[in-house]
Amino acid sequence: MIRSRNAAARIFSEFWVILMEKKGWCQMKKYVCEPCGYVYDPEVGDPDSGIAPGTAFEDIPEDWLCPICGLGKDVFVVME
């Protein structure tokens, strides 16, 4: 039995995210570093920098740097 509304909302939210990902309704986008060409793939993450697989680019800390050229998130663009 669910003990609180917050717990129920959290469970529903987690379920919805999993469902959307499994159905392909929301795919995390890849981003490319314009100066060097490094591609951030959210399915891979950046484990060497502590970014776990499954982390969307938007959820990476603002102080994260490109592992190749060392520039910030502001030089990345959505990969089309």
Side-chain angles (χ1 to χ4, degrees), residues 13-23:
S13 177
E14 290 173 4
F15 168 77
W16 185 248
V17 168
I18 291 168
L19 176 63
M20 289 178 66
E21 288 174 353
K22 295 255 185 223
K23 294 287 187 180

Side-chain angles (χ1 to χ4, degrees), residues 57-73:
F57 187 79
E58 296 83 358
D59 295 333
I60 295 173
E62 289 304 314
D63 62 350
W64 176 81
L65 302 174
C66 174
I68 303 300
C69 68
L71 295 176
K73 286 178 66 176

Side-chain angles (χ1 to χ4, degrees), residues 23-80:
K23 294 287 187 180
W25 295 337
C26 74
Q27 292 189 338
M28 292 186 282
K29 297 177 182 173
K30 295 179 182 179
Y31 282 74
V32 63
C33 179
E34 285 190 304
C36 76
Y38 170 79
V39 176
Y40 175 77
D41 182 346
E43 290 190 21
V44 176
D46 182 13
D48 293 340
S49 298
I51 308 299
T55 303
F57 187 79
E58 296 83 358
D59 295 333
I60 295 173
E62 289 304 314
D63 62 350
W64 176 81
L65 302 174
C66 174
I68 303 300
C69 68
L71 295 176
K73 286 178 66 176
D74 58 321
V75 299
F76 281 76
V77 295
V78 175
M79 189 171 185
E80 298 295 329

